[in-house]
Amino acid sequence: MSEQPSQSPARELPPEAQGNEKWHDTTHAVWKRSSLSSEDSDAIVEVAKFDDGYRAVRDGKNPDKGILFFTPAEWEAFVLGAKDGEFDIPEEYLTPEEAAIQRGEVPVFAVPSPHNTAPPKDGD
């Protein structure tokens, strides 16, 4: 009689994963935010990238509130729209500093979230 390898019990998915084809396990995700974000910012958006091109987005001020997942095509459409100015706020509603940021005059880059539980992988 041959021995069967012991199988670990199947991990139960959280309720938000049930029936969500976009859901990814974020336990070891590396979250990034804008270099302009600070803990006293009104809003902090954090993004994680997965090996299959999917992205996850969460509120960096309340990371346990929920996560939105995007397919590679959805993410590409969003990025192209942002680059094209589709989501720009009319400058009369912005401070001079905000307008300069929106025009791309202030360098902005991705930085690791202080809420990360996993170290960043090479290339992230």
Side-chain angles (χ1 to χ4, degrees):
M1 185 188 258
S2 66
E3 285 187 35
Q4 295 285 329
S6 65
Q7 294 182 357
S8 58
R11 181 173 164 222
E12 188 173 324
L13 294 177
E16 62 270 16
Q18 309 274 334
N20 183 347
E21 294 176 7
K22 296 179 190 177
W23 183 86
H24 283 61
D25 184 356
T26 59
T27 304
H28 301 292
V30 176
W31 296 91
K32 297 208 173 179
R33 59 171 60 174
S34 166
S35 58
L36 298 175
S37 296
S38 66
E39 290 306 315
D40 61 340
S41 297
D42 289 337
I44 299 174
V45 176
E46 294 184 336
V47 179
K49 179 182 178 185
F50 298 94
D51 291 339
D52 60 1
Y54 276 69
R55 299 294 198 292
V57 177
R58 71 180 183 185
D59 177 351
K61 291 193 82 103
N62 300 291
D64 296 326
K65 262 190 148 174
I67 299 170
L68 300 173
F69 295 94
F70 297 90
T71 67
E74 290 169 333
W75 190 254
E76 181 181 18
F78 166 71
V79 170
L80 291 173
K83 286 180 178 180
D84 197 35
E86 186 176 333
F87 312 113
D88 285 1
I89 299 170
E91 287 198 16
E92 64 259 23
Y93 298 107
L94 301 174
T95 66
E97 180 185 13
E98 291 168 335
I101 292 166
Q102 183 168 275
R103 288 191 303 267
E105 297 168 1
V106 175
V108 181
F109 47 92
V111 298
S113 167
H115 302 293
N116 280 331
T117 57
K121 296 183 278 185
D122 290 342
D124 277 348

